[in-house]
Every structure is written in structure tokens, then in C-alpha cells.
């Protein structure tokens, strides 16, 4: 029997966990026989959101649904976790069977291990290297689904990985992280390295992304959850008042053209000079808070104008300031190096280079047309617009990209200053008395000159990390002294209202992913699908039921950032940990979030 979409949705909403598999099977059969009408595409998106995975997702979906309906009766207790663990164990066979089924639908895919999948050369004509990606059985299902549901002019992430493998000068593999999803040209979660000694090797603005150096900063404190509870609402209000948020959020700073150029050149050097960051803050930051070779003269006047009023602003979309509690510690030694103690309060800041970075990317996507024509570079996808690294356009882009990255460092520093001020106002102590030191600041969406081993030889590479995080191992010379023994902190933000994680880099990352790992949860549903499927009030009620206080500037955008719009971040982190490309240190639980 095949179900109508309305009937299938109704049964999924009512069915006990043990019956969900049969309903899913029937619904999937119905979907396969239908055309891609808007009605059926919408149902397919909702179906995907309800059954996120095949090994425990039913319990999660059912529990989330119940908590949204009746927050008072929601219990996130040890007993529920044990039931879920038991279900996952009993369903392992079903997960493996699902993998085999998915593999049969993607005949080009080769399975290297339980977590690594290979797209061999030849899948796309002109591939110079293979592509590979990391995925658990649960995440593989979402990757497979995206091949059929990708929207907005993008192709599926797996296809994009193979397309990137055709670019001149690429070495090793085109690599996808477990949080991968489709993006502009490159997938979000794509790592690709290019040999800088190869005159044909390219840099791609789309391989960096529009939000250059969209990164994450973590502050620790001596406050405990018990200290914060009585003042949590006041704290959230003070943060919301202090940090400019939203699409049109503007800074109160009055920057001169000379100030803008200095920010673009020195990054956190400017914020230290003007007292917005502490002298020691830049020691706990990737690139120590300043990208070398930045040249503000390569940044257009229009980009500077957009950035001039946005320094110290959060923006909208998936950007946030989140107050968190250290919930679990998995590596005591690494946690101690970061001064993270169980039960203490942290603040995570996620934002980037705002309109300035977006304009830099836009400007150089246009400029690449000239280089492509002159150098006769053939692209399998126009969105892979690029230019030879050593060409005038390539060097100009890298100088402008570094400048935009420095703007992002300064932007997060200004917001950090605003957060410290909000905490001082709330708890009537100075930020230093509260112990609000930086743990680390990591960057996403960059192209960086680095040395790596390729076929047994040390090569200077330009490593594109679009929606991926650098993950250097213990002993790496780029790390500050305090992290030489444990490795680079890796900050992984979850979706709104879900846990975040702190990991450390590993030698496995250096050996297999050019020193890279995941960057977050990764979207499971497009923004358009999310808005059609989820309502603002439902999302707010769900987060409040989890004990998360929310302050938001733009209500209509909340559905886009609902937890159900994203992959399960714990699955993403677990996959990276089990694959050896980063190591789990700390789990952070949210208690308040500020969003645009």
C-alpha cells in the first residue's frame, strides 16, 4: 500500500517509534513514484526533517515533537538517553543495510571504510584527483538525499566535490567534511589544496565563500551555571542591548577611512591599540589575530563603505552570541589547558566579515572572468570561477581576502568587548574578575598558504577551507605555547538550542585532510524549506523547553535556524573523532542565545 503525503505525515506524527520504519518505507515508495511537484517536494523536505537518521532519529523526533507541544512534561533525563542508546544498538543492522541501499543508488561511490567514501577520477570528466568525504551511516543518508533535493541553483554537495577535483593544480583529494552541504561552486564543508609551485594552480573566491573568515571565538569564565540562573534573563537582555544584531545592524563606532585601512591591515592589532581587546587575547587566536600579506588597496571602496558601519556587529542568519555551560569533559588534560571546568559558563561568538567580505568575494568573482578567458581555463561549473594563484588577479584576491579576514578578527574582538561589558553590567564585576579570557578563535572560509606532505614530499599549498576548520596537531609551530602539548582547539558550534563542542587537532588531520576538520552542524534543509516547514512560535517554544533563553531581532528568520534545519552536530563531531581527524575534548550546553 502506498500512502498519500498527507496521510503519511499524519501517521508519522502519531506513530510509536517501533512503527515508524514501515511508514517511512511506504512514504518513500510513494515519493519515488511521484513527480517533483512543489507539493511533493515540500513533503519530502518535511519527511527528511522528521526522520533525520535511521538509528535513533525516531526517538529524537518524537521527543522533540512532544516537548514542543508540552514543554512542562519534557524530560531530557538519563533514562531517555539509555533508551536511545539501546535503540541505536539494536538498529545498527538497519543502518548498515541502509548504507548498502544508498550505495546501490550512487553506483559511482566507493566505500573506503565505515566513515570514508571515495568518488574516483572519471566520475566527472577532467578530474585531476579523486574526491572523498566523511560520513556516518546517518549522515550518508542526508548526503544522498541532497543529490535530489538541492535547490537555489546549486548541485548536490557530492557532485560539487567531484567538480572541484577538475580544477588546475589541485593535489591529494577534494575533501568533504561530515557537515557538508551544497554551496556556491564549492560545497560548504569542502577542503581543497593547490600546489603553489604549479603555475596553473588556481585560487577560487567561491572556494573561500562570501563570508570570508566567518569564524568562532570562545570565552571562558569563572561563573557557574548556579551563578547565572537567577540573572539569566537580565544577562540575555544586556547582551541583546549591547551587541548590534540583525541584517541592518550598525555599529556605534565612527571609523575614518584611515581606521578602516588599519583594521584591514592589522586585524586585532587595531582592537588592541584602541583597548577593545586585551593584550593577551591575540595569543589565543588563529594567525594570532592578523593575516599577513593583507593589502587594503586591493579592497574596493564599495566594500570598505559596507564595512565602515558594521565593525562590531553580529549580522543575521546563522550568526550568534551564545552563553553555554561546560556540560561534559572528555579529555581532562586538554580541557585544563583551555581552563575549562565542568559546570562553568562560556560564551561563543560566531560571525565573520559582514558586508565587506561579501563584497570582496563578489568583486573578484567578476574579476575572474578576465583571467578565465585569458588563460583558457575550462570550467565544468561556472560557479567554480577562479584565477591562477600567481596571476595579477590571483595575487590581488589573496591580498583582499586577507584584509577581509582581518576585518572579521576585529569584528569578533569588538563583539567580545561588548559581551564582556554586558557581563560586567549583569554581575557587577569586571570582566577580568569574572575570568573572561579567550580560549581560542578559529577561522572558516579562507585560503591559506601552508606546508603539507603530498606523496612523501613537503609542498607549499594554498588550502581552501570553505565551511571547514584548521585542526593542527600537538607540537605544530603555528600554535601558542599553551596548546603545544594538547593541539589546536577546534570550536564546533551546534544549531540553535543544541550542544556545541570543543575538539583538538590531530596528526590524523595533517595526514589525511590537510590539517582540517568539520566546522558545525551543516544544513540538512535549505532556508526556503525550513521557512515552509517550521513556524517561529514552535521553534521558540522548543528552545525554551530545553532551558534556552532567546533574544532575536528578526522573528521570521528563526525558522531558518531551527535545530531541525541542520544535521545532528553530535553525529558530525563523533564522525570526525572516530575518523581521527580531530579529538573530542568538551561538550557545551546552551542556556541563552542572541541572534539577528
Amino acid at each position: 500500500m502506498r500512502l498519500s503525503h498527507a496521510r503519511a505525515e499524519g501517521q508519522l506524527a502519531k506513530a510509536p517509534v517501533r512503527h515508524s520504519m514501515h511508514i517511512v518505507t511506504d512514504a518513500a515508495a510513494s515519493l519515488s513514484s511521484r513527480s517533483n511537484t512543489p507539493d511533493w517536494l515540500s513533503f519530502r523536505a518535511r519527511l527528511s526533517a522528521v526522520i533525520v537518521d535511521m538509528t535513533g532519529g525516531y526517538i529524537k523526533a518524537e521527543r522533540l515533537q512532544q516537548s514542543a507541544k508540552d514543554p512542562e512534561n519534557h524530560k531530557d533525563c538519563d533514562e531517555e538517553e539509555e533508551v536511545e542508546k539501546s535503540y541505536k544498538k539494536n538498529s545498527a543492522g538497519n543502518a548498515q543495510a541502509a548504507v548498502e541501499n544508498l550505495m546501490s543508488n550512487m553506483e559511482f561511490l566507493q566505500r573506503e571504510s565505515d566513515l570514508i567514501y571515495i568518488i574516483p577520477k572519471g566520475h566527472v570528466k577532467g578530474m585531476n584527483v579523486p574526491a572523498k568525504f566523511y560520513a556516518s551511516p546517518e549522515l550518508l543518508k542526508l548526503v544522498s538525499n541532497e543529490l535530489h533535493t538541492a535547490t537555489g541553483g546549486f548541485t548536490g554537495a557530492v557532485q560539487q566535490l567531484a567538480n572541484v577535483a577538475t580544477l588546475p593544480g589541485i593535489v591529494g583529494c577534494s575533501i568533504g567534511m561530515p557537515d557538508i552541504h551544497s554551496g556556491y561552486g564549492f560545497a560548504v564543508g569542502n577542503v581543497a589544496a593547490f600546489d603553489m609551485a604549479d603555475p596553473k594552480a588556481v585560487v577560487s573566491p567561491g572556494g573561500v565563500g562570501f563570508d570570508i573568515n566567518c569564524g568562532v571565538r570562545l570565552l571562558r569564565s569563572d561563573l557557574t551555571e548556579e551563578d547565572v540562573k537567577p540573572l539569566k534573563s537580565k544577562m540575555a537582555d544586556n547582551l541583546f542591548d549591547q551587541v548590534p544584531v540583525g541584517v541592518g545592524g550598525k555599529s556605534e563606532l565612527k571609523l575614518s577611512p584611515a581606521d578602516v585601512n588599519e583594521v584591514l591591515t592589522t586585524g586585532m592589532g587595531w582592537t588592541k591599540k584602541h583597548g577593545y581587546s586585551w593584550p593577551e587575547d591575540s595569543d589565543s587566536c588563529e594567525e594570532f589575530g592578523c593575516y599577513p600579506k593583507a593589502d587594503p588597496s586591493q579592497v574596493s571602496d564599495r566594500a570598505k563603505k559596507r564595512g565602515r558601519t558594521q565593525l562590531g556587529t553580529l549580522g543575521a542568519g546563522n550568526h550568534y552570541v551564545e552563553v553555554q555551560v561546560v556540560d561534559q569533559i572528555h579529555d581532562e588534560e586538554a580541557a585544563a589547558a583551555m581552563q575549562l571546568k565542568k559546570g562553568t559558563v562560556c560564551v561563543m561568538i560566531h560571525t565573520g566579515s559582514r558586508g565587506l567580505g561579501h563584497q570582496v568575494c563578489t568583486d573578484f568573482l567578476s574579476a575572474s572572468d578576465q583571467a578565465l578567458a585569458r588563460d583558457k581555463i575550462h570550467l565544468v561549473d561556472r560557479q567554480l570561477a577562479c584565477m591562477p594563484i600567481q596571476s595579477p588577479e590571483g595575487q590581488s584576491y589573496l591580498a583582499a581576502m586577507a584584509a577581509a579576514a582581518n576585518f572579521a578578527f576585529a569584528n569578533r574582538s569588538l563583539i567580545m568587548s561588548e559581551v564582556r561589558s554586558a557581563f560586567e553590567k549583569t554581575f557587577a564585576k569586571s570582566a577580568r574578575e569574572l575570568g573572561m579570557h579567550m580560549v581560542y578563535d578559529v577561522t572558516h572560509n579562507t585560503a591559506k598558504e601552508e606546508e603539507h606532505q603530498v606523496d612523501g614530499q613537503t609542498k607549499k599549498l594554498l588550502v581552501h577551507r570553505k565551511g571547514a576548520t584548521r585542526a593542527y596537531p600537538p607540537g605544530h609551530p603555528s600554535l601558542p605555547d599553551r596548546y603545544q602539548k594538547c593541539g589546536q582547539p577546534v570550536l564546533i558550534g551546534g544549531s540553535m538550542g543544541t550542544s556545541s563542542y570543543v575538539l583538538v587537532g590531530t596528526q590524523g588531520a595533517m595526514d589525511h585532510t590537510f590539517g582540517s576538520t568539520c566546522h558545525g552542524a551543516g544544513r540538512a534543509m535549505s532556508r526556503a524549506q525550513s521557512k515552509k516547514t517550521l513556524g517561529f512560535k514552535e521553534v521558540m517554544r522548543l528552545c525554551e523547553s530545553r532551558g534556552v533563553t532567546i533574544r532575536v531581532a528578526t522573528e521570521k528568520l528563526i525558522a531558518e535556524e531551527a535545530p531541525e534545519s541542520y544535521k545532528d552536530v553530535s553525529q558530525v563531531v563523533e564522525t570526525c573523532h572516530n575518523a581521527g581527524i580531530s579529538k573530542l575534548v568538551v561538550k557545551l550546553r546552551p542556556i541563552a542565545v542572541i541572534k539577528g
Side-chain angles (χ1 to χ4, degrees), residues 142-161:
L142 296 176
V143 170
S144 174
N145 286 348
E146 194 192 54
L147 285 171
H148 308 290
T149 61
T151 59
F154 301 150
T155 54
V158 169
Q159 185 67 31
Q160 289 184 319
L161 287 178

Side-chain angles (χ1 to χ4, degrees), residues 531-542:
K531 286 189 286 188
K532 291 178 181 178
T533 308
L534 305 164
F536 161 74
K537 290 183 179 179
E538 180 185 359
V539 174
M540 293 289 287
R541 189 164 57 242
L542 177 59

